[in-house]
Each structure stands twice: as structure tokens, then as C-alpha cells.
Amino acid sequence: MFFSFPAILHMVIMTTEFLIGTTVNGFLTIVNGYDLAKSGKLLILQILLICTGLSRLGLQMMLMIQSFFSVFFPFAYEENIYGSNMMFIWMFFSSIGLWFATCLSVFYCLKISSITKSWFLWLKFRISKFIFWLLLGSLLASLGTATVSIEVGFPLIEDGYVLRNTNLNISDMKLRRNNDLLLVNLALLLPLAVFVKCTSMLFISLYKYTCRMQGRSQMSNARTEAHINALKTVTTFFCFFVSYFAAFMANMTFRIPYRSHEFFVVKEVMAAYPAGHSVIIILSNSKFKDLFGRMICLKKEE
């Protein structure tokens, strides 16, 4: 079988992103799981990071499976990737990954922002219960999105996404228009809208505080430095989230030519999000950064 250079390069990039993603998300899941078990209390941030880490591990696995089939088994791609079970799992992890990231942005917004409006303070004082119900709602919304996507059906793509396996029973598949499935995924505009709103509020709050401290010539203040780092983290998080959402929606149009350069780029952009943002979480937290650094040093010594 002949492998083109773009396909080989794509596999190298996806494998790198997969290894980084599984390492950092596995690290976040284990460390926060240990902290949760050790404390014996329901620590909402630890629960959030565990949920986020697990969802991203699942998403990274699904993206890797898709890339593996598209490169090494191109003729079996649709039969395996568009089966009901695989499609359900793919849509579930894609949806819940967005929702959990939104929950994380809501948590940071409530925890850090210095907004004094009554409704904001009401949520701030009830942050643990609010985030818990938000996580539960995210799980139910993701299950609903995945279930409805199965009912809508799986489109056949004209530009190379044709079913080449004659043994596949086409009558068992619900073939509808591409736009039907895309319409279902527009429900994910809700977590995007909430994320953008919370991130904007947090960014404005941090920016105002930083400017105020600069005006008082307190740039050496540790809290000011922390806010500057938080600004960088929020900006990077926003870029990763929006780029993933744009790539996901482009992927769900099913109009990108199969195994084309654009097809590979979309998958690579999507895989960069669960790996890249978790790296940012680790680097922006001194505890995680030190633990991760020690873990890498131990591996090098071995």
C-alpha cells in the first residue's frame, strides 16, 4: 500500500498530539483523583479537572482511531467510523469535551472575577452546587446530542467518502442530508456562547485589575503577576477552544474531500485542543508544574 507524504506527516503529528494529550490528561486525572481521595471531601475544582481529563482522553482516543483508519485502512473508514456505536461515542466525547471546558471557564469566572452584580454574587456564593448541577447537565446534554445524532443518520460524502465495501448493508444505515447532522450539532453553540461570555468577563476583570496595579506602580506585586499569567492562560484557552469548535463544525459538514490536505489539517487542529489546553493548565499551576517536572526528571533518570 502506498502512503503519500501528507498522510505520513499527518500520522506523525497526530501520534505526537496523542502521546502529549494522553500524558498530560492522564496526569491531571491521576493527581486530582489522588487529591480527592486524600481529602475525603467533594472538592469541586478537582472534580472538574478529573471530568475534563477523562473526557479529553476519550476524545484523543477517538481522533487517533479516525486518523489510523483514514491512513492505513482508507477503504474501511466509513464502515468502521460511521457505525452506530462509533458515531455515538465520537459525538458524545466531542460534545462533553466542549461542555466540561465551558464548566471550567464558568468556575474560573466565578472564582476570580471581581464583578459585584447581585446575580453574579449569588452564583459565586453557591459555586459548588452550581458547578455540580452544571456538570450533570453537561453529561445529559452530551448523551442527548449523541443519541439525536444517531437518529438523524450518517451522510455519505460524494467527494471520495463513498462506501467501497460491498459487504456493508446500506439499508441498515439512515442516510439523510449532511445539513441535518450539522443542524443537530448547532446545539453546541450554547456551550460556545457560555464559554465566550465567561471568558470575556474574566478577561475584562483581569485586564482592569492589571491596569489598576500598573497605575499604582505595583508590578512587582505577586498578585499582579498572577493576574498577568491568568490573562495569558485565558487568552490561550480561548484560542484553543474556538479553533477546536471551528474545526469540529467544518468536520461535521462532511464536505471536506476525504484524505485531502484540508481533511488532515482539520483533524490535527481538533487533536491540538485536548492536548494543548491541558498543557496550559499544568504550566499555569505551580503545584501541577512541579509534580509534572519531577515526574519527567524521574523518567529521565531511569
Side-chain angles (χ1 to χ4, degrees):
M1 183 184 291
F2 174 74
F3 299 107
S4 64
F5 176 74
I8 295 172
L9 180 62
H10 170 68
M11 207 61 210
V12 170
I13 293 173
M14 289 297 294
T15 302
T16 303
E17 291 176 331
F18 175 76
L19 292 174
I20 293 172
T22 51
T23 300
V24 294
N25 286 302
F27 171 81
L28 286 175
T29 303
I30 293 170
V31 169
N32 286 286
Y34 175 78
D35 288 344
L36 199 63
K38 187 178 179 181
S39 66
K41 299 178 182 178
L42 288 177
L43 304 174
I44 196 64
L45 179 58
Q46 276 67 35
I47 293 173
L48 259 175
L49 291 174
I50 290 169
C51 291
T52 302
L54 289 173
S55 68
R56 288 174 177 175
L57 282 171
L59 179 60
Q60 205 91 48
M61 288 286 289
M62 289 303 301
L63 286 167
M64 193 63 194
I65 290 171
Q66 289 182 2
S67 293
F68 181 80
F69 273 98
S70 67
V71 172
F72 297 108
F73 302 100
F75 298 126
Y77 184 84
E78 285 197 46
E79 178 184 355
N80 290 277
I81 301 303
Y82 287 152
S84 296
N85 293 332
M86 287 294 288
M87 194 67 174
F88 179 87
I89 296 170
W90 159 243
M91 293 307 304
F92 173 75
F93 280 118
S94 298
S95 176
I96 205 166
L98 290 170
W99 274 108
F100 282 166
T102 300
C103 292
L104 199 58
S105 71
V106 171
F107 175 83
Y108 284 132
C109 181
L110 292 173
K111 203 75 175 174
I112 300 174
S113 295
S114 56
I115 298 170
T116 56
K117 292 183 179 180
S118 58
W119 63 269
F120 187 86
L121 293 174
W122 186 86
L123 289 174
K124 194 181 185 79
F125 293 136
R126 295 163 179 81
I127 186 170
S128 296
K129 289 183 179 180
F130 179 67
I131 296 297
F132 173 78
W133 286 110
L134 199 58
L135 285 171
L136 182 60
S138 299
L139 177 62
L140 295 176
S142 300
L143 287 171
T145 301
T147 302
V148 173
S149 297
I150 296 297
E151 293 302 317
V152 166
F154 325 113
L156 293 177
I157 306 305
E158 296 176 359
D159 296 330
Y161 257 137
V162 293
L163 292 171
R164 297 177 176 85
N165 192 329
T166 56
N167 295 324
L168 182 64
N169 188 357
I170 299 177
S171 63
D172 290 338
M173 300 181 69
K174 300 180 178 74
L175 305 177
R176 305 278 180 86
R177 293 182 306 158
N178 301 346
N179 293 337
D180 290 341
L181 192 54
L182 181 61
L183 187 62
V184 171
N185 286 280
L186 288 179
L188 296 177
L189 285 174
L190 178 57
L192 176 68
V194 175
F195 171 82
V196 171
K197 177 68 175 177
C198 290
T199 306
S200 300
M201 290 169 64
L202 180 57
F203 185 88
I204 292 170
S205 178
L206 290 170
Y207 182 76
K208 285 181 177 179
Y209 179 86
T210 305
C211 290
R212 193 161 60 247
M213 291 300 101
Q214 283 180 324
R216 296 176 184 176
S217 301
Q218 296 179 355
M219 284 306 293
S220 59
N221 186 286
R223 190 174 179 183
T224 304
E225 292 297 328
H227 276 68
I228 293 173
N229 290 332
L231 271 174
K232 295 176 182 177
T233 302
V234 168
T235 304
T236 309
F237 186 15
F238 181 84
C239 293
F240 271 119
F241 188 95
V242 172
S243 62
Y244 170 79
F245 188 86
F248 176 74
M249 283 302 173
N251 180 67
M252 294 313 296
T253 62
F254 296 94
R255 297 179 185 274
I256 301 175
Y258 180 48
R259 286 169 60 89
S260 66
H261 177 67
E262 293 81 6
F263 175 86
F264 290 142
V265 169
V266 163
K267 299 293 183 183
E268 290 158 11
V269 170
M270 292 175 70
Y273 160 70
H277 180 245
S278 294
V279 170
I280 298 301
I281 291 175
I282 292 172
L283 294 178
S284 62
N285 185 297
S286 57
K287 176 188 172 182
F288 294 156
K289 188 177 179 180
D290 291 342
L291 280 172
F292 195 74
R294 286 204 294 263
M295 184 185 75
I296 293 174
C297 289
L298 284 173
K299 285 187 175 181
K300 286 182 178 179
E301 289 176 3
E302 290 175 0

